[in-house]
Amino acid sequence: MTLDLFTTLDIVDDDVSAVVDAYLADPTPGSVAFGNGFRIDPAAAVASHPFARTLIDQPWADAGLRRAAIRAAILLAEPERV
């Protein structure tokens, strides 16, 4: 899981923020470069995270809450090593 990669410093907070930004800019499926030698599909991460998947479409959810949900989904996802 992405969260585990923080301990090895293969992923840092800026990497996660960049993936969140990429998803917010274009939520269509597709892998993006991630950290030091990884790729991740943020759309698939959101789709597989029940809370994020539900929250994204809620009209009452503000931008900060959506961003936090996407971040949680990415942290719990399994990135692919390239």
Side-chain angles (χ1 to χ4, degrees), residues 50-62 65-70:
F51 177 70
R53 185 179 61 237
T54 301
L55 185 85
I56 293 300
D57 296 326
Q58 298 303 315
W60 51 263
D62 65 14
L65 188 55
R66 286 188 175 114
R67 186 172 185 80
I70 295 164

Side-chain angles (χ1 to χ4, degrees), residues 2-3 13 23 46 56 58-59 65 71-72 76 78 81-82:
T2 300
L3 196 54
D13 193 53
Y23 177 80
V46 169
I56 293 300
Q58 298 303 315
L65 188 55
R71 180 179 172 78
L76 295 173
E78 288 289 337
R81 183 177 286 280
V82 290

